[in-house]
Amino acid sequence: MFLRATLALLLLALPARAEVQVQTVTSPGGVTAWLVEEPSIPFVALELRFRGGTSLDAPGKRGAVNLMTGLIEEGAGDLDAQAFAEARDALAADFRFGASRDAVSVSARFLTETRDQAIDLLRQALIAPRFDDAAVARVRAQVLAGIRSDARDPDVLASRQMDAIAYGDHPYGTPGDGSEESVAALTRDDILAAHRGALARDRLYVAAVGDISAADLGLLLDRLLADLPAIGAPLPGPVVPALTAGVTVVDYPTPQAVAAFAQPGLPLDDPDYFAAYLVTEVMGGGGFGSRLMTELRERRGLTYGANAWLANADLSAELAGRFATSNATAAQAVDLLRAEWARMAEQGITAEELERTRTYLTGAYPLRFDGNAQIARILVGMQMDGRTPDYIATRNDRVNAVTLDQANRVAARLFRPDALRIVVVGQPEGVGSTN
Amino acid sequence: MFRSLALALTVALPAHAQQVTDFTLDNGLQVVVIEDHRAPVATHMVWYRVGAADDPRGKSGIAHFLEHLMFKGTATLAPGEFSATVEAQGGSDNAFTSWDYTAYFQRVAADRLDLMMRMEADRMRNLRLTEEEVATERNVILEERNQRTDSDPGALFSEQRRAAQFLNHPYGLPIIGWRHEIQGLTRQDALDFYGRYYAPNNAIVVVAGDVDPRAVRDLARAHYGALAPTPDLAPRVRPVEPPQLAERRLTMADPRVAQPYVVRSYLAPAREPGAQDRAAALTVLAQLLGGSGPTSVLARALQFDRQVAIQAGAFYDGTAVDHGSFVVSVVPVPGVSLDQAEAALDQVLAEFLDRGPDPAALDRLKIQLRAQDIYSRDSADRLARRYGEALTVGLTLDDIADWPDRLQAVTAEDVMAAAREVLDRNRSVTGHLTRADDAKEAL
């Protein structure tokens, strides 16, 4: 390896500790939230997640939760879309709404000075969205435009193909935005039903970071959330990705082929999860020194970037990755990927890689906790993953506890050349669909 | 109801709250420190006052190519060791190139600043490159161009429009370079560019995070202080744009286009040191016309009232050495042609020039701009970027500190004067991006 041991070893100091003081708050009305008080800047970042997201779409109503989410801010209570936006702007508040396959998310920022008015306005949006016909038509057109764009984006096409193979008829198998046909057919009643089913208190996770006390947060949450339905739509069950070894080529005229690859992964609560996380980092972590970056980019110049990661969703677990390379070099890059997969399964990682990756992961962890909005996102994600607040203080110990023997046993268990599906979108030379 | 509340808010919010200090070493290196003690983290950035607009003629892409090559070795660091060392500290590092600057950054635990400075100082003057490294990295860049430009019709379209916007100024060149010129870039090209422009008197260091300015000064002296400046560094004088007397129009068709749209960019003034009022007015104009949300003039008229657009926006970028740009765009709804969309856009612009801004909208916008000051303090990283960008294009710390007040001072009359000046079709490029089969049907 190019890493010179001298400098790196010389400077291995203790990593910074994550100094995040999380309080668990339960409101008088029974809403629980994680709070980090940070009074130095006069605003609050509030993050809400409703578990379920687009996976709650009723049969034949694909895209309903996504369209509903896009409409939350387009008029509420007495305010039409324009009036709502004017009120929000006058308060200098910032609300964002998103729908993923696992959650509907609400990200709000509001100034201390106008906190109460901002919460009243956000409450209107959550409790009493109008779904006016004009707004539905407008947002539906935006969603359809996005669907049409996605249909010509090689990156998206690769993901779509992989999901279809892995998940078939499960909600994870099709895009949460829906299809042109399904979105065109959605009615206002469908949107109302999606709203009732997705935004309920039985699936709610809350984090707040900023200039607010625990007592004030409790009152605020009751005002904001008390009138939401108690129980929402049933969540779909977990699914094992049906991924088998082979290549699927999606013919698309583009100068550069996009390769997405995936195989079954490990759930978050698997005893081997941290070892799996560590060996996956060695294979395709975010930095420049991973095996995939070294073999495909640094040594051969075949790609601008190549990554692999553990893709854990609420209902499935994958080990996934991606790179893009010229059609002319796609066969070479695919061969290299497979060779690295096999090498990892057979030989695992070295003691030096283990040490370097442990140091990186434990050093990088505290650096994530940077900024109120960012910390609020992390805290709400931890709740959805079933963590407790003490996870922040103990997470690095779990990474450090991974031994070389465990890492290599898990590398052999996790990396499965016999289950690695590679989807290539483009016109790759010398690469054809295998089965 | 919200109006009176809003006015109260304007008065009450603090104007400047960041702790920002700076100093300059004897060799000309300016160092800026932005304190944020919420987390034990620091961002260390080195900004060079050189970018793609300084690429020698026929060698487009060399500034960006050199940015990649800076991660190879020096006399004391093996190739790749820079990033490996940052990662061994748990940090992350990367770099980016624009027309006016090239910047390198690391995000690390605050107590690793010493090591970051040592390595950045080392590669400021001691880069070593082999022919083989250069050849491999050239392929990486060609793949980067494949991925980010050639695979994306919108990016190709933007490149073509930009080339048409500038008749003589090198802002018309793509940062990554034209493919055929990237293919010809050599090790010597990179080293020549490096030797001339990578020097302490052509650089600005920005440190943001949990740091003490005095400690930063000591570290900067220790690591950067001994570096030799480039003695005869010429001021940044690029080929000057002649008067633009004719509007330019282009149509690009590509089968990969899913959503046709029309974009028009106008040549615009940039923020100037000590004279930012015009740029402030243009910033307010862009927000009023097409800022985010449904209340902007273009969204209201084109998306809500006439319902001809899926999306309509306006954008002004004035942080540049020589010229800014003012851009308006419309994505039409199905059934509305690009010509119709453009005609509707022009009608709305004409009405705006006739009537002027809605005073209530201007009030709301100023509250939002003021609040942005508060929200922006949530990310020391982003603040560091904003400072670095402004300083490398020639603005001063005073200009940066003054900017929020310049925005608050903009009047409706200023907005109208700015609009009348900038919305001149003779200095504009109008582009239609269509799907290839649409274009055939049009014939």
Side-chain angles (χ1 to χ4, degrees), chain A residues 333-394:
Chain A
V334 166
D335 285 348
L336 284 164
L337 169 69
R338 284 198 175 117
E340 286 306 313
W341 225 253
R343 177 161 78 101
M344 181 64 88
E346 288 158 18
Q347 300 170 26
I349 64 173
T350 66
E352 190 268 328
E353 284 173 320
L354 173 69
E355 187 54 41
R356 182 162 53 88
T357 305
R358 259 197 319 222
T359 310
Y360 169 63
L361 291 176
T362 54
Y365 187 64
L367 305 192
R368 291 184 195 174
F369 295 87
D370 177 35
N372 297 358
Q374 162 82 350
I375 294 171
R377 278 191 297 273
I378 294 173
L379 296 187
V380 85
M382 282 174 56
Q383 293 174 66
M384 285 196 70
D385 287 345
R387 313 281 191 204
T388 51
D390 70 340
Y391 176 82
I392 298 171
T394 59

Side-chain angles (χ1 to χ4, degrees), chain A residues 30 60 64 70-71 127 145 159 165 171 196 232 243 297 311-312 358 385:
Chain A
L71 282 160
I127 306 291
S159 302
I165 294 169
R196 278 193 306 273
L243 294 167
R297 174 171 160 154
N312 285 85
R358 259 197 319 222
D385 287 345

Side-chain angles (χ1 to χ4, degrees), chain B residues 178-199:
Chain B
W178 301 113
R179 173 171 289 274
H180 64 284
E181 293 189 356
I182 298 172
Q183 285 165 339
L185 295 176
T186 68
R187 172 177 173 273
Q188 199 54 50
D189 292 334
L191 289 175
D192 290 348
F193 198 82
Y194 172 73
R196 180 162 177 204
Y197 292 116
Y198 280 50

Side-chain angles (χ1 to χ4, degrees), chain B residues 46 91 95 112 155 171 203 250 263 279 291 340 366 370 372 396 413 419:
Chain B
V46 179
R112 315 299 154 85
Y171 280 166
L250 35 103
V263 183
Q340 289 167 327
K366 287 190 180 178
R370 187 60 92 189
Q372 283 308 322
T396 65
E413 292 70 38

Side-chain angles (χ1 to χ4, degrees), chain A residues 298-319:
Chain A
E298 300 305 321
R299 294 212 170 128
R300 297 179 180 82
L302 298 177
T303 187
Y304 179 52
N307 295 92
W309 58 88
L310 286 174
N312 285 85
D314 278 359
L315 305 174
S316 82
E318 284 178 24
L319 166 58

Side-chain angles (χ1 to χ4, degrees), chain B residues 16 274 276 387 391 395-404 406:
Chain B
H16 310 296
Q276 303 185 92
Y387 273 80
L391 292 170
L395 297 166
T396 65
L397 288 177
D398 285 345
D399 291 322
I400 299 168
D402 195 33
W403 180 244
R406 294 298 99 219

Side-chain angles (χ1 to χ4, degrees), chain B residues 357-439:
Chain B
D358 169 13
L362 185 57
D363 285 348
R364 281 196 304 270
L365 176 59
K366 287 190 180 178
I367 293 160
Q368 287 178 279
L369 290 168
R370 187 60 92 189
Q372 283 308 322
D373 275 357
I374 291 182
Y375 293 137
S376 74
R377 287 161 55 199
D378 197 29
S379 171
D381 229 36
R382 229 170 304 152
L383 277 181
R385 283 185 189 229
R386 191 188 306 170
Y387 273 80
E389 184 183 29
L391 292 170
T392 42
V393 305
L395 297 166
T396 65
L397 288 177
D398 285 345
D399 291 322
I400 299 168
D402 195 33
W403 180 244
D405 289 343
R406 294 298 99 219
L407 292 173
Q408 292 298 320
V410 171
T411 64
E413 292 70 38
D414 295 336
V415 170
M416 294 314 292
R420 280 189 290 268
E421 184 192 351
V422 80
L423 299 177
D424 175 353
R425 292 275 285 265
N426 285 342
R427 289 185 304 211
S428 76
V429 177
T430 305
H432 289 197
L433 180 63
T434 67
R435 196 153 46 225
D437 41 308
D438 289 354

